């Protein structure tokens, strides 16, 4: 698939895929950058669901203005949109680029005893959740942000225990 980032043509291939969600596919486009591409209504994942295809149509329409006006949220462990990914004319927003968080795991894994093992101390887990709570508090209080899709798959945790929020395009 060919997309445009800052007016430059970029070819995305299946070999660059690093993630897949219900609404988008994520492709690695550099050492520290990925592109989140929203699924179009005709995406194969929606082949048997006209309701999901209609949801995609609605999301794409909403993101045309929302992503162009996305505020800068600096100083917090939040992965936010950087550059818009568009069609060749630059009119239709297809997705956006964002920072890649290497060697991270989704928060959900921290609930698995087999993942935590004997080496991950309870104090480390508590410290990670306190940090996450502080980030959420600052987003709500200082930035007036509501996290629209807050779940254990939209928080990445680095090996040193820093939780980072992703899926910021769901913020309101």
């Amino acid at each position: 698939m060919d997309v445009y980032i800052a007016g430059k043509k970029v070819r995305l291939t299946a070999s660059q895929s690093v993630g897949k969600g219900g609404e988008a596919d994520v492709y690695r486009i550099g050492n520290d950058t990925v592109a989140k591409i929203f699924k179009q209504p005709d995406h194969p994942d929606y082949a048997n669901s006209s309701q999901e295809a209609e949801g995609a149509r609605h999301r794409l329409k909403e993101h045309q203005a929302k992503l162009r006006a996305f505020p800068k949220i600096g100083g917090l462990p939040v992965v936010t949109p950087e550059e818009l990914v568009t069609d060749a004319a630059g009119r239709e927003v297809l997705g956006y680029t964002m920072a890649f968080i290497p060697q991270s795991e989704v928060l959900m894994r921290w609930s698995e005893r087999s993942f935590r093992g004997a080496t991950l101390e309870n104090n480390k887990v508590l410290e990670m959740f306190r940090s996450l709570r502080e980030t959420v508090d600052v987003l709500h209080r200082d930035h007036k942000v509501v996290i629209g899709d807050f779940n254990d798959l939209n928080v990445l945790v680095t090996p040193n225990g820093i939780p980072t929020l992703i899926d910021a395009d769901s913020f309101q």
Side-chain angles (χ1 to χ4, degrees):
M1 156 192 342
D2 291 339
V3 297
Y4 290 78
I5 301 170
K8 295 181 182 170
K9 184 176 177 179
V10 176
R11 175 154 291 180
L12 301 176
T13 65
S15 66
Q16 294 169 278
S17 178
V18 293
K20 183 179 187 69
E23 299 176 356
D25 296 321
V26 180
Y27 300 87
R28 187 119 181 228
I29 59 171
N31 289 336
D32 57 356
T33 308
V34 294
K36 179 175 182 176
I37 308 298
F38 298 110
K39 294 177 183 176
Q40 299 292 314
D42 62 351
H43 192 282
D45 286 359
Y46 302 150
N48 297 321
S49 177
S50 60
Q51 190 173 19
E52 286 183 344
E54 184 56 36
R57 236 186 254 49
H58 175 74
R59 273 189 306 281
L60 286 165
K61 183 178 178 185
E62 178 182 76
H63 279 88
Q64 299 308 303
K66 183 177 183 178
L67 287 175
R68 291 183 195 280
F70 200 90
K72 299 296 180 202
I73 301 173
L76 291 174
V78 178
V79 175
T80 58
E82 293 175 354
E83 295 278 343
L84 295 180
V85 177
T86 67
D87 63 358
R91 285 192 289 266
E92 184 180 359
V93 174
L94 304 174
Y96 59 89
T97 66
M98 60 186 171
F100 176 67
I101 309 298
Q103 301 176 339
S104 58
E105 289 287 345
V106 292
L107 179 61
M108 180 181 72
R109 296 286 319 273
W110 284 56
S111 69
E112 302 169 8
R113 285 192 185 271
S114 60
F115 173 74
R116 288 193 324 263
T119 60
L120 192 56
E121 299 174 12
N122 287 339
N123 286 342
K124 186 73 170 173
V125 175
L126 184 58
E127 184 181 316
M128 184 273 301
F129 276 107
R130 283 184 175 147
S131 177
L132 178 59
R133 183 215 168 273
E134 179 62 23
T135 297
V136 172
D137 186 49
V138 170
L139 282 171
H140 289 315
R141 184 187 64 237
D142 298 348
H143 296 282
K144 308 297 185 229
V145 166
V146 175
I147 303 169
D149 191 11
F150 192 34
N151 65 67
D152 57 4
L153 296 174
N154 285 336
V155 178
L156 297 179
V157 184
T158 61
N160 58 355
I162 297 173
T164 301
L165 294 171
I166 61 170
D167 201 24
D169 56 272
S170 72
F171 288 7
Q172 303 296 321

